[in-house]
Amino acid sequence: METSSYLRLCFILFTLLLISVCPWSPVRYTFKNRRIHTKFGSILEAQVPKPNNLFADTPLHPLDPLTAQEIIKTRSILLSYAPFSSSFPAIHSLYLDEPEKNQVLEWKKGDPIPPRKAHVIGVLGRQTHVLVVDLDLGLITSHVTDPGSGYPALTMEDLSAALQVAHSNEEFNNSIRARGVEFSDVSCMTPSVGWYGLNEEGRRLVKVQCYSGQGTVNYYMRPIEGLTLTVDIDRQEVVQFSDTGRAIPIPNSANTDYRYTAQDDAPKMEPLNPISIEQPKGPSFRVEDGHIVKWANWVFHLKPDHRAGMIISRAMVQDSETGGLRSVMYKGFASELFVPYMDPDEAWYFKSCMDAGEFGLGITAMSLVPLNDCPRYAYYMDGLFVGPDGLPYVQPNMICLFERYAGDISWRHSELPITSMEIRESRPKMTLVARIVASVGNYDYIFDWEFQTDGLIRIKVGLSGMLMVKGSPYENVRQIPKKNELYGPLVSENVVGVVHDHFITFHLDMDIDGTNNSFVKVKLVKEKTVPGQSPRKSYLKAKRRVVEREEDARIKLKLYDPSEFHLVNPSKQSRLGNPTGYKVVPGGTAASLLDHNDPPQIRAAFTNNQIWVTRYNRTEQWAGGLLAYQSKGEDTLAVWSERNRPIENKDIVLWYTLGFHHIPCQEDFPVMPTVSSSFELKPVNFFESNPILRAQPNFEKDLPVCRPSSSD
Ligand SMILES: *[C@@H]1O[C@H](CO)[C@@H](O)[C@H](O)[C@H]1NC(C)=O
Ligand SMILES: *[C@@H]1O[C@H](CO)[C@@H](O)[C@H](O)[C@H]1NC(C)=O
Ligand SMILES: *[C@@H]1O[C@H](CO)[C@@H](O)[C@H](O)[C@H]1NC(C)=O
Ligand SMILES: [Cu+2]
C-alpha cells in the first residue's frame, strides 16, 4: 500500500510504473468506510455544503453520474448475464447512459428521474463488448461485440500486464544492463501504438519505453533512448523489440528535480508578498443537489467524467430584463485531445496519442492542490469512477469551483476634462471558474470553464508538466552537424525537446433559447467605393449567410478572409428583430499541418478543421470515435460530417479545436511554465442590451481589509 498514491498517478497516457511494483490498489468505496473528505478551512467547510450524493441511494437529476449503489447494481446484473457467467469481462468503462435529450429537457425538479441506464464497455477473450444495462428493469437491453476497428481506453491492469511482459523479457533485461542502469531505477511509460497498418490489427498492443530515475524524481528527463518494446496485452508477449539507442547517453539527473523541497538555492528575485482573496461572507455560488451550480445569473449541471474530465450540461443564463432562465448550452466537454510528435524515427513515429479516448482525462485528473491549483475559497467535487473489476472508487477533489477576481474590468468609461463632466464609471470583473487538471503521463492539462455575468463563457486549456524528450549525443548546439538531423531543439545537455502539437476538440451542444438553431457565417468582405462616392477607397461590410448543410460548416480559419461564426435561434428574435445568438470567438488557432492521409491524421481527422457543425445525434459524442484505441478513423467527426446532413433550424452541435504548436525551449526544462490558450462563446443579440449595465461597483466599505498579523 505504500505505493498506492504513486500508482494512482500512473493511470495515464503513457502510464508509468516502477518496474518492480505493478499491482493496482485504488481507493475503494465502501459503505462502511464513509469518507468525508478533508476540505480546507473550517469556516468555508460550514459555509459550503459538500456534495453528498456520491453516497446517495438515488440520483437527484437525470444527468447525475451513476451512484455507487447503481454501479454495484450494474455489476451484479452483468455478473448474472449468461454470456459472462463463466468469466467476467475487464470493465473499461461503466458510466451513465444519459437519457434522451427531450426527457432531460422536460424534467423538472420533483419529477421522477427518467429510467437509469449504464453504458458499459468490457473486454473479454479479445472481444470488445458494448452494453447498455437498464437499472430499473435489471436487464441488458443492448449488447454489441466489436462494433469498430478500435478498442476502448486501456485499463490499469492492461498497463501493468504490459510492464510485466517487458520486465520478464530477456532482451530488455540485457539492454538495461548493457546501459548500466539498475533495475530499481527503471521507470517505464506505455505510449499508445496508434494505428500503422495490418500487422497491428486484431490485437491490443502497447509500446513500452523506459527511463532512468536514478538521482531524480523527474525520470522523464532521463530517457533510455531507442529502447522500444511492442507488447500484445492479451497474449502477454513481446511482438517487437527495438534497441537502436545504445550509443546515446542517458542525460544527467542534475537540475531535473522540480519539487520545492529539492531546491537548495533561493530564487534570484525579490520574494513576493503573499496575496489571498478573502470572501468573509463566503462564496456567491451554491452547489445544490450535488451537481447543480448556481452563481449570479448562471445555472448549470457540473459533473466529473472519466473520459472528458468534466461535463457542463444545461447551462442557462438569466434574461437581463425578465430574470427568466434561458438555455445557452445543452452539453459541453473536451471530446478528444490529440498530440502528434514530429519525429519519424523508429522509437518515435507512433507517438500520436488521443488522450481522452486512449487513457481518459477524468481518470488521470488527480486531486487538486489547495491554495496552488485553486484558491482558498474553492469548492471541491469528487469523481466516482469504476475500476476494471467493475467496482466504484472515489477520485477525491478532482474538480474545483471558485469565483475569480483577477483585478480586471468588466466595463468602464471616463470623460475627458473638456466635457466638464466628471465621470469615472468602472465595474470590476468577477467570474466563476470550474477547473480540472489531467496529468496525462508527463503532461498536465489545466481545463477551465469560466463564466462571466455578461453571458460570456471562456474555455481555456493550460499546458504544464514535463516535455517528452529524446536522448541525444549532443551537449551543445555547436556539436550538432550542419545537416541538422534533430527533430527539435536542444533543451538541456543530451536532451532534445521533440516538436509536437496539442489539439483539444470540444463538443459544444449549443441550444440557444431552444434546440433548433442555425449556424451563420458573418463574413467580412472588402467593398470598394465607386469613384466620386467618398474620399475612402475601401471599407469592410459584414455579410450574413445561413449555412444549410454540414459540408459548408467545416471551417478553416483565415486571417485575410475573416468571418464571425454565430449560432442563432431563427424563431427567437430580440425586440429589434435580430435572432438571438452566441458566437464562437476563436483562440489557440494552431492547425494540424500533417498530411491528410498520414495514419495519425486519418484517426484524428476531427482536427482537419478548427470548427465543425453537425446535426445532433446522441451517439456522436467522441470526436475520435467511441473506441479510439488503435482505431482506423472510421468513426470520427470527419466521417459523421461527410453525411452532409441539413443543419438549418435543427438541433446542432458546434465543435471547436483549440490548437498549440509546441517548439520546446530551454525554459521548458525541467518542468514547463504553463502555456495557455482559450476560446469564447459570446452572446450576440442574445440580450436586449448590455446585461450588466446595472452591476454594482466596488466600494471600500464593502470589501474586507486584511491587516498584517503579528508574527505569532
Ligand atoms: C535480468 O537478468 C539477470 C541475469 O539473467 C537476472 O539475474 C535478473 O533477475 C534479471 N532481472 C530482471 C528484473 O528480470
Ligand atoms: C425543431 O425542428 C423540427 C423540424 O426539423 C420540428 O419537428 C420540431 O418541432 C422543432 N422543435 C422545436 C422545439 O421547435
Ligand atoms: C447517429 O450516429 C450513428 C453513429 O455515427 C449512426 O450510426 C446513426 O445512423 C446516426 N443516426 C441518425 C439518425 O443519423
Ligand atoms: Cu507540448
Side-chain angles (χ1 to χ4, degrees), residues 71 88 99 136 148 223 231 285 320 354 457 462 466 515 584 588 641 671 683-685:
I71 293 167
F88 193 67
D136 297 288
V231 175
F285 63 86
S320 52
M354 303 209 294
I457 304 173
M466 256 59 72
T515 53
V584 55
S641 167
V671 59
V684 178
N685 303 324

Side-chain angles (χ1 to χ4, degrees), residues 250-270:
I250 296 173
N252 203 287
S253 66
N255 305 319
T256 56
D257 197 331
Y258 47 86
R259 293 170 304 170
Y260 184 62
T261 49
Q263 312 306 320
D264 36 39
D265 245 355
K268 304 277 185 289
M269 65 166 104
E270 294 255 340

